Amino acid sequence: MYNKNAWEKYESKDEIFAFAEGYKDFITKGKTEREVVKLGIALAEAKGFRPLDSFKSLKPGDKVYAVNKNKNIAAFIIGEQPVENGLRVLGAHIDSPRIDVKGNPLYEKDGFALLDTHYYGGIKKYQWVTIPLAIYGVVIKKDGTKVEVAIGDKPEDPVVGITDLLIHLSADQMQKTAAKAIEGEDLDLTIGSLPLKGEDKEPVKKGILALLKDQYGIEEEDFLSAELEIVPAGPARDYGLDRSMVAGYGHDDRSCAYTSLMAVLDSKTETFTSCAVLVDKEEVGSIGATGAQSKWFENVIAELIAKQGDYTDLKLRKAFTATKMLSSDVSAGVDPIYSYATEPKNAAWLGKGLTFNKFTGSRGKGGCNDANPEYIAEIRQLLDDANIHFQFAELGKVDLGGGGTIAYILGNYNMNVIDAGIPVLNMHAPMEIVSKVDLFEAYKGYMEFVKLK
Ligand code: MN
Ligand code: MN
């Protein structure tokens, strides 16, 4: 099934389209890592998964999930073999490039109230202006009260946005490089223009503060302990007259997160413990307490081993060494308008199924995980036996750029890891594109992977 169009295999597209509906709902609601974790908990509980804390001991077939700081979730089906004999792990990231609100954001200028921002991840800044944007996140008040914010996606909601200079006066701006045409400090969000009556000084800002106090009970200083993320407003939609694709925000990497999570939730008890782990901070280097480099995942595996009997450090280390993993992350799909950026024999094509990257990285593969051919052969056999369409690709032409994933971080535990995901067009843009059949092949492929011996 290598390197063939996956649509050809299916007599009817009904099942593929139906699966895409679930996914569209997931990314429409899951615009931030916190929202994805909430959705993940609901999906897991609906399939009979329970929090790890609620288990005193674990036996084969137990369905378990664990959450870290509202930004990571891992779901497990305990296998017939003890956890110390290794797991089958699907790992994806649930953070996506976006624009974050600064700690002291609110100001008034020229009759507008604005929020100062700092972008997150690699973006082409010019793609983020003059589009409707939504605000998601939390404000934690000094007494610990959490105020949840979600503005811009309900039909009755207002949207916010970032302005750009009119073309009529852009003679200077149009001479700048694309990197400089819109500067990071100019990605400020317009949030209001209504002055508070009777105020001389900063009346619009005061109007917004009055509104925040009235609707959310928050003060200006509460922005200090807020986490507000600016994301594209609006739902994921069918793309193409034939509805073969999905247009939406955050396919990188929620397309792989959804398919990985659903693959584990829909699986049966297998020989080894199945796991989908969804992490944060991949777009900024997988750092911190909720990134793939966090000890959290290791701690959860330790707890699984402890709840199966006598815990030892050696059992934990052996579990990792015996683990096989797919780093489920998106690939750079061939774009017909920019096909010069990909080398066709080693490119990811929309519609050709689950995409493997032996390595990612930049230049001489800097920063990559390089999967062992012994491991790749096992996966080829597994997917061929299951009639799953797959392809092998590199992330674009050598020396044009590059990128990384979480693969090497789990590789550091001595696991066998390979990157395997879904080809995307417009990667990191407010509107990314995936093929519905690739979503479906990834889901099916991931379900086979957890059976790997
Ligand atoms: Mn990614
Ligand atoms: Mn990315």
Side-chain angles (χ1 to χ4, degrees), residues 93 252 282-283 427-428:
H93 68 90
D252 178 7
E282 193 276 342
E283 298 293 357
M427 198 187 293
H428 287 199

Side-chain angles (χ1 to χ4, degrees), residues 56-324:
K56 284 209 170 65
S57 64
L58 289 170
K59 60 178 189 313
D62 281 342
K63 297 179 170 187
V64 184
Y65 74 85
V67 169
N68 183 31
K69 297 180 169 59
N70 304 310
K71 294 180 185 180
N72 303 150
I73 182 168
F76 301 87
I77 299 179
I78 303 302
E80 286 151 6
Q81 296 267 334
V83 171
E84 66 184 273
N85 290 352
L87 300 93
R88 299 295 172 262
V89 178
L90 299 163
H93 68 90
I94 53 175
D95 60 314
S96 295
R98 59 173 190 260
I99 297 171
D100 288 339
V101 173
K102 285 186 182 176
N104 292 306
L106 184 61
Y107 69 98
E108 174 169 343
K109 187 164 187 284
D110 302 332
F112 295 95
L114 298 108
L115 292 179
D116 213 325
T117 68
H118 193 151
Y119 62 96
Y120 173 94
I123 61 170
K124 288 180 163 181
K125 293 171 210 116
Y126 63 78
Q127 294 175 332
W128 291 75
V129 297
T130 71
I131 58 170
L133 296 171
I135 309 179
Y136 281 87
V138 294
V139 183
I140 313 293
K141 296 202 272 186
K142 273 200 287 190
D143 66 0
T145 323
K146 182 193 286 190
V147 180
E148 303 231 21
V149 178
I151 307 164
D153 270 326
K154 290 188 286 297
E156 68 276 18
D157 276 355
V159 293
V160 289
I162 299 163
T163 53
D164 189 10
L165 188 60
L166 61 166
I167 182 67
H168 314 69
L169 300 178
S170 291
D172 287 350
Q173 188 195 33
M174 297 304 275
Q175 300 306 314
K176 296 181 185 175
T177 62
K180 289 279 183 188
I182 305 287
E183 303 261 8
E185 280 295 354
D186 293 336
L187 290 176
D188 289 357
L189 199 69
T190 308
I191 60 165
S193 67
L194 195 65
L196 192 65
K197 279 215 168 76
E199 294 286 343
D200 291 337
K201 203 164 164 272
E202 300 188 315
V204 180
K205 176 178 166 177
K206 284 189 178 126
I208 288 290
L209 283 171
L211 180 151
L212 293 177
K213 181 83 185 161
D214 181 49
Q215 292 187 8
Y216 296 94
I218 57 180
E219 316 271 350
E220 185 169 9
E221 271 196 16
D222 291 328
F223 278 112
L224 290 173
S225 47
E227 188 174 82
L228 298 170
E229 304 181 6
I230 311 302
V231 296
R237 307 190 53 177
D238 285 346
Y239 190 69
L241 301 185
D242 55 9
R243 299 180 181 271
S244 58
M245 298 167 275
V246 177
Y249 164 66
H251 290 320
D252 178 7
D253 185 32
R254 296 175 190 136
S255 59
C256 296
Y258 181 73
T259 45
S260 294
L261 180 64
M262 294 311 287
V264 167
L265 299 188
D266 291 342
S267 284
K268 299 191 193 60
T269 309
E270 301 294 346
T271 308
F272 297 98
T273 295
S274 318
C275 166
V277 57
L278 308 185
V279 295
D280 178 29
K281 297 286 180 283
E282 193 276 342
E283 298 293 357
V284 292
S286 297
I287 35 62
T290 58
Q293 299 189 48
S294 164
K295 292 282 179 206
W296 170 70
F297 186 60
E298 184 180 332
N299 294 346
V300 172
I301 305 302
E303 194 170 342
L304 296 182
I305 294 170
K307 287 185 173 172
Q308 285 195 319
D310 298 327
Y311 173 82
T312 66
D313 183 53
L314 188 60
K315 282 185 180 177
L316 177 66
R317 290 164 191 248
K318 284 191 162 174
F320 279 128
T321 295
T323 289
K324 295 176 181 176

